Amino acid sequence: MKAAVLHTIGEPLVIEERDIPVPGPGEVLVRVVAAGVCHSDLHQQDGSVPPFRIPIVLGHENAGIVESLGSGAAGIEVGERVVVYGGWGCGRCRFCLGGQEQLCSTASWSGLGPDGGYAEYMVVPSARHLVPVGDLNLVQAAALADAGVTPYRAVKKALDLLVPGTTALVLGAGGLGQFGIQYLKMLTEARVIVVETSAERRDIARSLGADVVIDGSISDLQEAVRAAASEFGVTAAFDFVGSDTTMQLGLRSLERQGLLVVVGLAGGSVPVSFFGMASEAVVTTSNWGSRNDLAEVIALARAGALTISIEGYPLAEINDVFELLEKGKTKGRAVLIP
Ligand SMILES: [Zn+2]
Ligand SMILES: [Zn+2]
């Protein structure tokens, strides 16, 4: 099978021929139909988020068809169409038992430890990580495994806060932000303000229902957000970039008891101090999604409630896709089709 392998930090991935892996006891072999490309893959390739192991097949946003079962594997049928839940935990700690395997301390995640989906086949350690998707388009479904589920979890953290009359701020309308806008419009009464530097993505944000869309490259962003926000500021800010600049903008835009949820992995930081932010504001991160979060997002997609903006590319073009993503030139989620 073909696989795109990261051998050296900072170097392009190498497309190489490998044997199709054989699933061990309890494991499941999945034929990958689509694998989404995530900014965190770029961060691993450039070393800013060091990969757990090298060489590695990256790819943690996968959908495909069950090809074969290892001995004793049960709970899924050969031929079933599935999204691969990417947080592969120990299965025993309290986070795993609650379905939040992405928070398990084992750090054994698809494409971030074990080999992931930038290949024609991948081994999944347990059938519990496979969520059937029925007749959902698998190329679209792949994006749900991270771009779809991560903002869903982030928005759920603020549902109690986003009552009528409030505003929510979305920083970055790329693959994740586009889902975030939809969840905010679908699940809350908040007015949604979006800040985005790309004109194309600003148009997409508008088409997804954003109420106010601000060009992220203007000089006085803070003032523009203030003007668009409710009287005292935004009630919840979702930072899908995670740079110093966006985190500062998010925190400074908050009203009292507001919530900043940092999702993007750009590695930024922001000082938290008593007088440096609105009283009782809360800063947190949101890390991927639980198995339940993924099942809920898949249910929304199956009900036709989500617009999933996809750009498909052959696996062989993976390095070009990384470059496009790096330069912010993708409109929707880039998905590799092995
Ligand atoms: Zn990701
Ligand atoms: Zn665990």
Side-chain angles (χ1 to χ4, degrees), residues 244-299:
D244 289 355
T245 314
T246 55
M247 288 173 72
Q248 275 173 29
L249 178 61
L251 187 61
R252 287 181 186 156
S253 301
L254 290 183
E255 67 169 341
R256 282 160 282 173
Q257 295 190 327
L259 174 68
L260 168 62
V261 186
V262 179
V263 181
L265 298 182
S269 62
V270 64
V272 169
S273 64
F274 198 98
F275 293 112
M277 55 200 237
S279 274
E280 301 192 5
V282 174
V283 180
T284 187
T285 56
S286 192
N287 185 357
W288 212 340
S290 69
R291 288 216 306 277
N292 278 333
D293 292 332
L294 180 58
E296 290 165 29
V297 162
I298 288 170

Side-chain angles (χ1 to χ4, degrees), residues 53-93:
R53 155 178 89 75
I54 265 186
I56 185 171
V57 178
L58 300 174
H60 53 272
E61 198 176 81
N62 307 303
I65 297 171
V66 175
E67 179 78 12
S68 64
L69 306 179
S71 67
I76 199 92
E77 303 288 329
V78 169
E80 264 195 274
R81 308 167 80 256
V82 293
V83 165
V84 180
Y85 174 72
W88 298 344
C90 70
R92 297 178 184 186
C93 72

Side-chain angles (χ1 to χ4, degrees), residues 89-97 100-101 103-106:
C90 70
R92 297 178 184 186
C93 72
R94 69 186 177 89
F95 296 99
C96 286
L97 290 173
Q100 304 187 94
E101 297 206 27
L103 299 182
C104 182
S105 59
T106 57

